[in-house]
Each structure stands twice: as structure tokens, then as C-alpha cells.
Amino acid sequence: MPKLSPADVPEVKLDSAAAAIEASMTRDMRRSLFEKPGKVVFAIVELTSKSYTGHAEDEDKDPQVKVRVTGCEVARSDDDAAALADAKRAMWRGRQIDGTLDEVGEGPQRPDAALLDVTRSKPSEDELKEHKRRQEERRRAEFVR
């Protein structure tokens, strides 16, 4: 992997693979984006670096890194969208205070703190496991019939 000088700031390119985004959206959401140009949806995305373009010392080309959306959840309710918008604003305020609006850096250490009120009303991991267990029991009972 090439080493960057402290002055180098790689350009970030988004990989064209958007399967994680599409999979997290309902049919109606996708249709709405198509039918209503300018429609905004809020999402939490996970980006993973997949490739980079290094540069030779005598080359006058900026370094680039390609990232892919490897995880995504799109807000499915107005409350979820509002919470994500609030989190986005809180993170932006943090970058303003930190003076990092134009810098690449670690960013806020606890961006999820802005979402605590909403995440409390969502199912826990244990509740999800219990739900899946009950679904499986129902499927088995139906299969036996």
C-alpha cells in the first residue's frame, strides 16, 4: 500500500455497486425516488474502501480511493428520517466546532448519541432473535399441518 505524505488527501470515489442501498428500500420508496425528482430519503450507510489508485512521485495525479456502500438502512418513517436529519445536523455542528469541515479526520466519536431516543424505541437484538424464533415455530407448525 502506498504511503501518503501528510499533505496528500485522497479523492474519494463511490463504487457503482449500490445493492446494499436498494435492498434496504421498499418498492414504494424506490418508485417515489423515480417519480418525484428531488425526493430526499435519509439513510445510515456503511462505507468500505475497496481499491485505491496510488501515484508515483513524479506523477502529477492525486491519489484516489474507491469506497462501496456495504451496509445501509433507509429511514422508513418520518420519525426515523427526523432522527437521522437531527444526527446529521449534530455531526455537522461538531465538525464546525472542531474546525474540520474541510478536513479529513476521525469525525465525531459518538454519532449514534444523537439517535439514542429513536433507537430506544426500536427492537433490540434479543427481541429480533425472539421474533425470528417465533416465526420459525410458526413455519414448522404450518409445515406439519
Side-chain angles (χ1 to χ4, degrees):
M1 170 133 344
K3 295 288 183 198
L4 298 173
S5 75
D8 287 331
V9 179
E11 179 181 4
V12 176
K13 298 280 190 172
L14 187 59
D15 186 81
S16 62
I21 296 171
E22 185 175 355
S24 69
M25 299 178 82
T26 65
R27 181 177 185 265
D28 288 340
M29 288 174 149
R30 288 183 262 158
R31 288 184 57 87
S32 179
L33 286 171
F34 179 83
E35 293 171 347
K36 299 174 187 168
K39 169 87 172 151
V40 173
V41 296
F42 285 87
I44 295 174
V45 297
E46 176 182 279
L47 302 173
T48 303
S49 60
K50 291 296 182 179
S51 63
Y52 65 91
T53 302
H55 63 287
E57 284 185 29
D58 58 345
E59 186 75 26
D60 189 26
K61 187 174 183 180
D62 292 333
Q64 294 179 349
V65 62
K66 189 175 281 191
V67 297
R68 182 175 299 156
V69 175
T70 53
C72 179
E73 284 301 323
V74 176
R76 294 177 180 243
S77 71
D78 290 343
D79 287 343
D80 287 353
L84 293 180
D86 284 347
K88 178 184 159 203
R89 284 190 293 273
M91 292 168 72
W92 183 81
R93 287 191 304 269
R95 289 194 305 138
Q96 262 191 320
I97 289 170
D98 293 343
T100 59
L101 281 176
D102 295 327
E103 293 179 16
V104 175
E106 290 294 314
Q109 298 303 306
R110 287 294 315 270
D112 60 324
L115 297 172
L116 289 178
D117 288 339
V118 169
T119 56
R120 282 188 194 112
S121 68
K122 300 295 180 201
S124 68
E125 288 294 325
D126 289 338
E127 289 169 322
L128 176 61
K129 287 176 186 174
E130 178 62 20
H131 171 75
K132 288 181 177 181
R133 187 192 62 74
R134 284 192 309 264
Q135 275 185 322
E136 185 61 29
E137 283 179 1
R138 277 187 228 125
R139 278 191 219 119
R140 288 181 186 162
E142 288 174 8
F143 182 73
V144 172
R145 289 183 204 166

